[in-house]
Amino acid sequence: EVQLVESGGGLVEPGGSLKLSCEVSGFSFDDYDIGWFRQAPGKEREGVSCISRVDGTTYYADSVKGRFTIDRDNAKKTVYLQIDSLKPEDTAVYYCAVLVGSTWDYWGQGTQVTVSS
């Protein structure tokens, strides 16, 4: 059974920071790329960031570049998303996912991030 569990969300004031975690179990974690996505109320899910299993290369959406940082710890089977300088527009449910070939096949339950003063 493949399972992804996100944590670390919460209510934060604009300009604040959060660190999200995605713990993965049930497969060889270090064999797959891992990504973060988010979905705000009434909007489609969008890709935020991902990290390669090959060399650790990272990718970021333009809207979060310079504020979000993705990292992975293969020993702990965990991917992190450090979020700094939070804006109200960052409010969303954040999901992690596993890339199998060219398809994001496995997803977590999501963790809520709310940015408000």
Side-chain angles (χ1 to χ4, degrees), residues 23-45:
E23 186 173 354
V24 181
S25 62
F27 73 106
S28 298
F29 176 82
D30 58 331
D31 288 340
Y32 300 94
D33 298 351
I34 309 294
W36 283 96
F37 298 77
R38 67 184 181 185
Q39 187 168 23
K43 296 184 178 181
E44 295 182 350
R45 184 173 296 179

Side-chain angles (χ1 to χ4, degrees), residues 19-22 29 34 36 49-51 56 58 60 68-74 78-82:
K19 188 172 185 177
L20 309 183
S21 298
C22 173
F29 176 82
I34 309 294
W36 283 96
S49 180
C50 64
I51 185 165
T58 58
Y60 299 95
F68 289 23
T69 304
I70 190 171
D71 193 21
R72 68 187 293 165
D73 187 330
N74 289 346
T78 302
V79 172
Y80 304 96
L81 187 68
Q82 176 67 44

Side-chain angles (χ1 to χ4, degrees), residues 39-117:
Q39 187 168 23
K43 296 184 178 181
E44 295 182 350
R45 184 173 296 179
E46 64 173 338
V48 174
S49 180
C50 64
I51 185 165
S52 172
R53 74 182 189 279
V54 177
D55 57 3
T57 300
T58 58
Y59 306 87
Y60 299 95
D62 289 341
S63 60
V64 307
K65 195 172 298 182
R67 300 186 299 116
F68 289 23
T69 304
I70 190 171
D71 193 21
R72 68 187 293 165
D73 187 330
N74 289 346
K76 296 182 177 180
K77 297 183 178 181
T78 302
V79 172
Y80 304 96
L81 187 68
Q82 176 67 44
I83 309 176
D84 298 318
S85 301
L86 278 160
K87 305 175 181 179
E89 64 197 59
D90 295 321
T91 296
V93 178
Y94 284 71
Y95 302 88
C96 61
V98 178
L99 184 64
V100 182
S102 60
T103 306
W104 299 96
D105 281 355
Y106 302 104
W107 296 80
Q109 85 290 343
T111 185
Q112 176 71 49
V113 172
T114 302
V115 185
S116 176
S117 60

